[in-house]
Amino acid sequence: MSATAAAERFDNHWSYAEEVEVLTFDLNGETFALEAVIVQEILDLLPETAVPGSQPFVASVINFRGKVIPLADLRLAFGMEAEEATIDSRFIVIEIDLQGEPTLVGLRTDKVNEVTTLAKNASEAPPSVGMRWRADYINCLVKRGGEFIILPNLQAIFSSRHDAAGAGN
Amino acid sequence: MSTLDPVAVFRMEAAECLEAIEAGLLDLTHQLDNKDLVDAVFRGLHTLKGSGAMFGFEALAAFTHHCETAFDRVRKGEVAATSELVAAVLAAQDHMRALVDQPDADYGDTGHKLLAQLQSAVGAKAAAPATATAAVAAPVQGASANKTKNSWRIRFSLPANAMANGTNPLGLLDELRDLGECTVRADTSAIPPLDELTSTELYISWDVTLMSEQDRSAIDDVFIFVLDDMELSVEEIGSAAAATAAPAVARPAPAAAASVSPPPVPAAGVPEFRPVEAVPVRREAPAAVSQAKAAENVRVPAERLDELMDRVGELVIAQSRLSQLASASTDIALRSVSEEIERLSGELRDTMMVLRMVPVATLFSRFRRLVHDLARETGKVIELVMEGESTEVDKTVIERLADPLVHLVRNSIDHGLEVPADRLAAGKAKAGTITLSARQAGGEVIISIKDDGRGINRERVRAKAESSGLIHPGQPLSDPELLQLIFAPGFSTATAITNLSGRGVGMDVVKKTVEELRGAIDIVSVPGQGSEVSLRIPLTLAIIDGLLVRVGSGRYVIPLSAVEECLELSLEEDLRSRGRSFISLRDSLVPFLRLRDLFRTGTKPDVHQKVVVISTGTERVGLVVDQIIGDHQTVIKSMSKLHNDVATFSGATILGDGSVALILDVGHLVAAGQQQEAQLRVAG
């Protein structure tokens, strides 16, 4: 997907309001944010069941309130190193639309920070150079107090991983 | 409070209504003089017309009206029910179905053609639009000289939420006006002060005096859709020619019914009105019975059942944790509560399982129409026999079986049954019989389609398979193997593809669907005597019996239906089999897969590894596991789309401790194992 398309999508994203409410969390020292409306629950670590043969990005499943849901590691989408869980690690359960079906997915995080509001005018489309992550995996970057918060494009991440196993990186 | 979309509710009702009409029509084809069936079809059409109009399906209502009129004439004995009429209405009924689904679509001349057909079936006069309209239009004003004119006093009030449910009281009043001269008084006494008024609620009740030559049932018909919730009293207040009219119209009110009707509400706003004899309106006896039946069933969206199932699953898990705690405790009271909860949650789970079960009658009933149509198309005389319709199967299974069964029935009729002349020449009865049967056997339901036709022509199957390269010329095959060939993709024994078969579903698709349901197909065919195709399907998709095993640190469920036996892989056998992956089992070689390698667990094997011998239907394969934990009743949870690419597992389940175990898809597992071995051979 081109950077222009990503920017358009990001415009849609905030087209109705100047602000968006997000949940921020840390992964390998970077701060990410998810739209608060898609967040279902924040969980303490649960027993994981490995799914042999699956993509490393979604290598296991967990029992979320009687449902078996995949557990994804955004680190792998962004080419970061997988890390052991720490005392601050949590799972965030989100609901996203996968091929027209609402799907619950768990995300690993190193630490869940806070629910906050990000302003549209502080956001920037991902730069075309100077970044080691795939640009189409990022909706936008929001500058706040000297650091950047990354709003990942979950649709792109989950669908591209799904369509072409192991692609990316 | 009602949260369902009224149009969706109407569609559901209309579907049921159309099904009932169809069933009535099909019965009628055999018993053309059955008055009850005529009445039933008429009622169905009338209901459909009325509720269609009420929910804004004008095209449907207008179209249905003509069919209703035709049937009304039959009902009144003006014309006889003929098979042409039934066929015309059957065809018309498909059009109605289309109008329900897509009320705004342009169907061109379809409707006109059907109506023309209908017209010729009942005689041109009957369905001529002018006459048809006149039947419901207001009787000519000033026709009071008519001897059979009666006066009725009708009081009715609708529930406050009636308008939210799609009822329009003005429509009811219009219908009453259509019956004759009306004087309508609205009782507005219940209207609250403006600040308490809710605009969607209905506060008004009506008092109507009606002069009509229609009889009492016409009035009842006006209220037929809202009767269940409303208060209605109808009384006769005299007739212009009482002596002649009374016997015809004054239906004695059943005393018993009077006692169950709600007491008439004192009419605050209309003090002058005193009921002389409030006749509670009840439906006619047969309708009342069916109404009672309908009330016993509740329509629930399947996803709510799934949610409930999830909750029950959680409860069972929480309960097993409770019993672990309780068994470690010395508190007698705690232990007894825990046992009680264990029993209750077990029962709840069993009840939950049967909630999804529906009788196969819902599946079979649609074949009556199919067979009826096919008989007309092929010119064959077909008798359809259905057995075991009360057998219950999971709703999802039923839905998925519909298309395969249609194909099998078509096949039986198209390829199996002979035309009457051939049957007579073969010394058989003129009418061919198709038997659809269902019965339960253990955890499976067996659904079979049997015909008494010519049977499968083995030579032709073989010739076709050889010509399409499925088998080598002259390759020896057992009879079952030969018959299984018809399930090969692209295989069809029909020399010419008729418009009956070959509608996109082949026998290979049938087989695939059945296998997806974890079922199997058997064929028995005797030349000259007919064929029987039996589908063996698990009763439910939601739960299976499984064998819980451990591989490395992970636990997996192997469907018990695939398991043949379990044995120990001795250390020496294990070492010996390093270079070859098979063991000898009662003098036959059984290849095996080491799941530890396949799943790349990276753990050391247990000292006493076990081999679970499974059968994929065609071959036996051993699966080497570290430990067999035991039987496990498994509630199947599907895996998300993100794991669609992992074919080795057909789903997942949640164990007593709340952790997840994956369910092995035996067929895919063996295929994956073969692939991996092939790669190893290439690499090594």
Side-chain angles (χ1 to χ4, degrees), chain B residues 121 133 174 307 340 351 367 472 497 507 550 564 585 677:
Chain B
T133 323
D174 283 344
E307 268 171 40
E340 182 79 5
T351 313
F367 289 104
H472 307 300
I497 289 186
M507 285 297 259
R550 184 175 59 78
E564 294 211 324
L585 180 64
E677 276 178 8

Side-chain angles (χ1 to χ4, degrees), chain B residues 321-454:
Chain B
R321 273 165 54 199
L322 175 65
S323 13
Q324 269 175 18
L325 288 176
S327 62
S329 155
T330 49
D331 188 332
I332 303 285
L334 176 66
R335 295 176 89 155
S336 96
V337 169
S338 162
E339 275 169 28
E340 182 79 5
I341 302 261
E342 185 173 345
R343 184 181 62 79
L344 286 173
S345 67
E347 286 172 3
L348 190 58
R349 183 168 143 159
D350 291 347
T351 313
M352 187 58 231
M353 292 302 162
V354 299
L355 277 191
R356 296 179 55 94
M357 307 290 263
V358 288
V360 289
T362 55
L363 176 61
F364 280 7
S365 58
R366 63 185 83 170
F367 289 104
R368 299 181 57 201
R369 175 66 188 277
L370 178 72
V371 170
H372 175 267
D373 288 355
L374 288 182
R376 285 177 81 93
E377 270 180 60
T378 58
K380 295 174 182 175
V381 187
I382 309 166
E383 195 181 326
L384 176 67
V385 179
M386 294 190 273
E387 291 165 358
E389 292 156 277
S390 59
T391 312
E392 294 197 325
V393 189
D394 189 288
K395 192 165 185 339
T396 320
V397 175
I398 290 220
E399 279 161 11
R400 300 233 204 123
L401 275 182
D403 285 344
L405 275 185
V406 166
H407 186 73
L408 291 173
V409 169
R410 278 179 184 283
N411 257 354
S412 288
I413 291 173
D414 203 22
H415 308 320
L417 290 186
E418 312 91 334
V419 292
D422 290 357
R423 288 188 67 87
L424 291 173
K428 293 188 196 178
K430 187 177 160 205
T433 307
I434 300 279
T435 310
L436 263 181
S437 72
R439 68 192 164 86
Q440 198 181 329
E444 292 184 324
V445 64
I446 300 174
I447 295 179
S448 84
I449 300 96
K450 193 163 98 183
D451 66 69
D452 63 349
R454 55 173 81 94

Side-chain angles (χ1 to χ4, degrees), chain B residues 521-544:
Chain B
I521 306 183
D522 302 325
I523 307 182
V524 181
S525 181
V526 183
Q529 287 179 35
S531 316
E532 176 167 9
V533 180
S534 306
L535 312 181
R536 286 187 287 122
I537 311 283
L539 277 180
T540 171
L541 294 178
I543 188 163
I544 58 161

Side-chain angles (χ1 to χ4, degrees), chain A residues 63-149:
Chain A
N63 165 15
F64 172 62
R65 309 195 166 274
K67 293 190 181 78
V68 175
I69 67 168
L71 186 64
D73 196 339
L74 287 184
R75 264 183 281 249
L76 300 179
F78 286 95
M80 303 169 174
E81 289 295 311
E83 300 258 344
E84 288 294 309
T86 66
I87 193 164
D88 286 329
S89 297
R90 299 286 183 275
F91 297 155
I92 300 177
V93 178
I94 56 167
E95 188 180 279
I96 57 167
D97 197 75
L98 281 186
Q99 293 165 341
E101 244 175 65
T103 309
L104 292 172
V105 180
L107 298 178
R108 287 176 201 277
T109 67
D110 290 342
K111 187 182 178 189
V112 173
N113 298 322
E114 55 173 350
V115 174
T116 183
T117 307
L118 297 182
K120 186 177 183 176
N121 56 19
S123 69
E124 285 172 28
S128 51
V129 288
M131 199 176 61
R132 62 200 154 95
W133 309 314
R134 281 180 58 164
D136 62 328
Y137 281 0
I138 298 172
N139 252 338
C140 63
L141 302 169
V142 179
K143 199 171 169 187
R144 198 181 59 171
E147 59 165 357
F148 277 101
I149 297 176

Side-chain angles (χ1 to χ4, degrees), chain B residues 140-161:
Chain B
V140 189
Q141 298 289 319
S144 51
N146 194 315
K147 275 185 225 147
T148 54
K149 206 152 202 180
N150 305 296
S151 301
W152 305 89
R153 174 156 257 169
I154 303 155
R155 287 197 67 235
F156 68 96
S157 59
L158 294 164
N161 65 351

Side-chain angles (χ1 to χ4, degrees), chain B residues 148-282:
Chain B
T148 54
K149 206 152 202 180
N150 305 296
S151 301
W152 305 89
R153 174 156 257 169
I154 303 155
R155 287 197 67 235
F156 68 96
S157 59
L158 294 164
N161 65 351
M163 292 194 291
N165 287 333
T167 306
N168 184 354
L170 295 178
L172 297 172
L173 290 171
D174 283 344
E175 280 196 60
L176 281 178
R177 278 194 204 102
D178 285 346
L179 296 176
E181 282 173 60
C182 269
T183 318
V184 181
R185 278 183 56 95
D187 174 4
T188 52
S189 61
I191 297 179
L194 197 57
D195 54 348
E196 290 169 29
L197 194 86
T198 311
S199 61
T200 53
E201 296 225 333
L202 185 61
Y203 302 99
I204 305 171
S205 59
W206 286 271
D207 178 11
V208 181
T209 317
L210 170 71
M211 296 276 284
S212 171
E213 55 195 30
Q214 303 277 340
D215 68 6
R216 168 64 188 277
S217 64
I219 300 172
D220 292 357
D221 283 350
V222 170
F223 296 102
I224 197 157
F225 315 110
V226 285
L227 210 48
D228 298 343
D229 303 319
M230 70 182 300
E231 284 176 38
L232 171 67
S233 80
V234 180
E235 54 174 313
E236 200 178 344
I237 51 172
S239 102
T244 52
V249 291
R251 244 175 251 189
S259 65
V260 294
S261 73
V265 180
V270 276
E272 79 276 19
F273 169 63
R274 289 185 58 91
V276 183
E277 182 213 5
V279 180
V281 177
R282 294 257 116 196

